[in-house]
Amino acid sequence: MTWFTSWLLSGLVLLMNSGPALAQTFFRRPPTKVSIHNPSSTEGQRNRTTISVRVPEDAGAELERLVLSQLTSLDQWTWGPKNPEVYLGEYSLRRRGEPGLGEATMSQTDDELSIRFDPAIQPGQQANVVFRGFNPDADIYQWATELIPAGSEPIASDGPTLRVSIFRNDNFR
């Protein structure tokens, strides 16, 4: 019995002297309702691509960043030259967002888009990020999503795969 007690106490002393615990931020329930809307599905047309993400009420953290990594495709998606507009609430085809609530940056290889929300999206809210550009050539475009919480040393969560189909312009056949 004394052997077991001394073994247990030595383990407790080791735990107490192992230094401060790392404070990492993570989602208890990650956002999984992420969607992409593109009302224009013909190549070369102006588009108003909107990415919607709903943060669950019991997420346990705010959403600071959303990262889209384009999956294999011949062409890269063009998000447009300006920073996106962001609005909160349900998706609406014609609703305008506010500039400055989200900042988008592209990777050097143009295959990864990072959207940073300022302020971070609170649990229970839905953010809609509106880009204006032109549709690329006909193809199926797909992105893997990653959601990053606000806080120190965040642990990213994988989200769903997003998909947009762009069709050929048949007016000239």
Side-chain angles (χ1 to χ4, degrees):
M1 183 70 158
T2 52
W3 174 81
F4 179 72
T5 306
S6 62
W7 178 76
L8 188 61
L9 287 175
S10 65
L12 184 60
V13 169
L14 281 174
L15 281 175
M16 290 172 47
N17 292 328
S18 64
L22 294 176
Q24 292 185 306
T25 306
F26 61 94
F27 290 114
R28 271 183 292 209
R29 183 167 171 226
T32 56
K33 292 185 179 181
V34 183
S35 57
I36 188 165
H37 314 273
N38 186 17
S40 170
S41 60
T42 305
E43 64 184 3
Q45 286 184 334
R46 284 186 66 82
N47 67 30
R48 183 184 148 87
T49 306
T50 304
I51 299 165
S52 299
V53 58
R54 177 175 296 284
V55 180
E57 288 191 22
D58 57 349
E62 301 169 337
L63 175 64
E64 181 176 57
R65 204 160 25 110
L66 172 64
V67 179
L68 279 70
S69 301
Q70 187 168 343
L71 302 175
T72 307
S73 182
L74 294 175
D75 293 316
Q76 296 296 323
W77 187 265
T78 304
W79 295 101
K82 295 181 181 177
N83 259 325
E85 295 179 351
V86 176
Y87 65 90
L88 299 177
E90 296 297 319
Y91 167 75
S92 174
L93 180 62
R94 291 185 177 80
R95 187 159 174 201
R96 298 189 59 96
E98 296 180 43
L101 297 179
E103 180 183 10
T105 54
M106 289 295 298
S107 66
Q108 290 184 350
T109 56
D110 285 341
D111 61 349
E112 188 174 280
L113 172 71
S114 178
I115 304 165
R116 181 178 165 84
F117 297 103
D118 188 18
I121 307 305
Q122 301 291 317
Q125 291 184 322
Q126 177 172 319
N128 302 282
V129 186
V130 182
F131 293 90
R132 296 181 188 276
F134 289 91
N135 287 339
D137 290 339
D139 202 347
I140 297 173
Y141 296 87
Q142 299 182 100
W143 297 268
T145 59
E146 188 177 47
L147 302 119
I148 301 169
S152 62
E153 297 186 42
I155 298 173
S157 296
D158 291 333
T161 300
L162 304 180
R163 178 179 296 145
V164 170
S165 297
I166 300 296
F167 302 99
R168 190 173 333 147
N169 187 346
D170 289 335
N171 291 339
F172 300 108
R173 280 189 160 184

